[in-house]
Amino acid sequence: RMAYISEDPSRNSSSQVNIQAAIYCHNGEFTAENFWTIPISGRVNVYGSICQATAGSLGVFNHGHGLLNGFYYSIRHDPRFLVMGPPNFPFSTKYRLLSWWEN
């Protein structure tokens, strides 16, 4: 269903949340709890993959002003998932990764 980064009042703008995982949300999304109201809480670094039914958000951004609430984020694909998946992770033989772009 949903995968949350829980709200933690001890986080601040220099905090780091590092996640190495294959995150799968069949009917939900990967998001930060109360991202629209929490103060700037640092950066979330995901190394792995995220499959979600709807696009979740980790922060509130305003063009020209940057981050207003929640987290900055970096999501990087783990190339090991090109040759094998985590145990019990859903898969399909009908699709394959043709390209990947990161900035």
Side-chain angles (χ1 to χ4, degrees):
R1 294 184 185 184
M2 303 288 283
Y4 289 100
I5 297 171
S6 60
E7 186 175 350
D8 181 347
S10 69
R11 290 190 184 116
N12 58 48
S13 61
S14 62
S15 295
Q16 296 276 326
V17 177
N18 296 309
I19 301 169
Q20 295 184 27
I23 301 167
Y24 181 75
C25 303
H26 184 77
N27 292 321
E29 61 192 30
F30 172 64
T31 188
E33 185 178 30
N34 299 322
F35 69 87
W36 56 91
T37 59
I38 60 175
I40 296 175
S41 299
R43 174 176 290 279
V44 173
N45 301 304
V46 176
Y47 184 67
S49 69
I50 301 173
C51 297
Q52 54 189 342
T54 57
S57 187
L58 299 176
V60 176
F61 294 85
N62 184 341
H63 182 69
H65 298 286
L67 184 67
L68 300 176
N69 301 82
F71 296 92
Y72 290 101
Y73 58 89
S74 170
I75 301 170
R76 302 210 45 204
H77 181 258
D78 185 339
R80 294 176 294 179
F81 294 146
L82 293 174
V83 293
M84 68 181 235
N88 302 313
F89 195 81
F91 72 96
S92 171
T93 58
K94 296 179 182 181
Y95 303 100
R96 64 187 174 110
L97 182 63
L98 296 177
S99 66
W100 186 266
W101 175 81
E102 294 185 21
N103 62 1

